[in-house]
Amino acid sequence: MAEAMRLAERGRGATRPNPVVGALVVKNGRKLAAGFHRRAGLPHAEIEAIAGLGMRAKGATLYVTLEPCCHHGRTPPCTEAILRAGLARVVIGCCDENPLVSGRGVAILRRTGLRVDVGCLKEECRRQNRAFFMWIRRRRPFVTMKVAATLDGCIGDRHERERGGDARFITGTAARKAAHLLRAEHDAVLVGVGTVLADDPRLTVRLPGRSSRGREPLRIVLDSRLRTDPAAALLREATAQAPLIVASASSDRGFAARRRRLEAAGAEVLLLPPGRNRRIALSTLLRELAKREVQSLLVEGGTTVHGAFVAAGLVDAVALFLAPRLVGAGVPIVEGQGLDWRFPAKLGPLSLQRLGEDVLLTADVVTQGRRRRSS
């Protein structure tokens, strides 16, 4: 099952709206075939694994990370192909929470007398598709807050930004490569207009010698008053492969003209109902992204955007890149109203990875904390 999980990861970032799935066929202690789901519309992992086996599949065991589907979608049901193959046993990592499957796949296989065991590395398999399950269960993307900061908690030089300077690169080459891998693995990446104005980012995946499977994450800018420059780097790369949404919550004087300029430059302007302080209501934005089959969202900043997501209880995981530097003062990781100090959001088991001189800390949010009461 662990090997099947490693296979599943090869489809990460390319299978939307489907989950990542890996499969392995074993007989008499020997691996016969393996497969993973490569892209929506292509064969599922189970089909890819058993397709070329013919009679050799008879009496073998299929290990698959997620419950086989039993409905017609872009591809036929996997349960039918499994039963035709003549397998003796199917070992499933975890059940699918999709209402179209959700235990029905297991029941169909068992009704024929096939031995089906469920729950091998269950928690690990569930975690592997936690974004998919979030999208299915709560109809919003799984949100990861990505931060690159100094050891004293600064993500930029406030004085440089006030002078129009550029201080983007806090971390080294290895950490920046890992950050681009994070982008490649997510369906969408989001920043605030302050980051666009200060850093002029592209938000694309740039990895030497590695393609992003021909697909870039959807890029999103939170820009209530449409201050994004139509000549910004984001717009120069706004294509079908690298789409850009500028989300706004304003319709003030001059809005229509600014909107036309951004749309002419290649952006989609998404007008949403305003929330508090005339800002974009993040929960509304996430529901809209879910309708577009966005299951995983990487929030890259800046400081007020981080604060808004934390205060709204919409951060599900954190990826914190720390550089061995001290600056004494600067732009903090998070600004805004925040949570009640007595009831902060709590993170789960912490994972630590060395990346050259830098460190990557990752963890899931296990409790969202309590919002600060308005005075």
Side-chain angles (χ1 to χ4, degrees), residues 130-132 134-135 138-146 182 186-190 220 282-283 285-287 289-290 294-301 305-306 308-310 312-319 347 363-365 368:
R130 64 196 193 281
F132 173 75
M134 173 74 78
W135 180 66
R138 297 182 59 184
R139 305 312 296 175
R140 74 162 177 85
F142 185 95
V143 176
T144 299
M145 187 175 82
K146 176 257 177 184
L182 267 179
H186 282 75
D187 296 332
V189 55
L190 178 148
I220 303 156
L282 296 180
S283 57
L285 172 64
L286 294 190
R287 285 195 297 271
L289 294 178
V294 172
Q295 296 175 6
S296 56
L297 174 65
L298 187 66
V299 175
E300 294 200 15
V305 170
H306 289 157
F309 272 89
V310 171
L314 293 173
V315 175
D316 302 301
V318 173
L347 303 183
D364 285 357
V365 175
Q368 289 291 352

Side-chain angles (χ1 to χ4, degrees), residues 23-201:
L24 208 67
V25 181
V26 176
K27 189 175 184 180
N28 299 325
R30 178 169 159 263
K31 183 173 72 174
L32 297 184
F36 68 97
H37 187 37
R38 297 173 185 271
R39 190 180 302 116
L42 294 183
H44 291 184
E46 306 94 310
I47 307 303
E48 189 172 270
I50 64 180
L53 289 177
M55 293 300 295
R56 290 189 299 152
K58 190 173 179 61
T61 297
L62 171 70
Y63 292 85
V64 60
T65 57
L66 187 68
E67 179 181 9
C69 69
C70 54
H71 63 286
H72 283 272
R74 299 184 192 184
T75 57
C78 290
T79 49
E80 293 181 2
I82 289 170
L83 293 173
R84 285 196 303 268
L87 296 162
R89 181 185 178 210
V90 177
V91 180
I92 298 169
C94 65
C95 286
D96 191 346
E97 293 188 11
N98 185 341
L100 296 174
V101 186
S102 193
R104 291 176 60 223
V106 172
I108 287 170
L109 296 176
R110 282 177 172 164
R111 275 203 299 267
T112 68
L114 182 64
R115 178 181 171 184
V116 180
D117 297 307
V118 182
C120 180
L121 297 184
K122 176 182 176 181
E123 292 308 315
E124 292 88 341
C125 289
R126 283 190 54 78
R127 177 179 169 78
Q128 186 171 52
N129 273 307
R130 64 196 193 281
F132 173 75
F133 292 143
M134 173 74 78
W135 180 66
I136 286 289
R137 187 173 63 250
R138 297 182 59 184
R139 305 312 296 175
R140 74 162 177 85
F142 185 95
V143 176
T144 299
M145 187 175 82
K146 176 257 177 184
V147 181
T150 59
L151 281 180
D152 49 354
C154 295
I155 63 173
D157 185 331
R158 190 184 299 277
H159 304 295
E160 270 300 305
R161 291 198 175 191
E162 289 171 354
R163 292 195 295 267
D166 185 352
R168 283 178 291 178
F169 297 142
I170 293 172
T171 54
T173 303
R176 294 202 297 274
K177 180 180 178 181
H180 278 275
L181 281 169
L182 267 179
R183 280 185 190 169
E185 292 170 355
H186 282 75
D187 296 332
V189 55
L190 178 148
V191 296
V193 67
T195 297
V196 174
L197 296 175
D199 298 338
D200 196 24

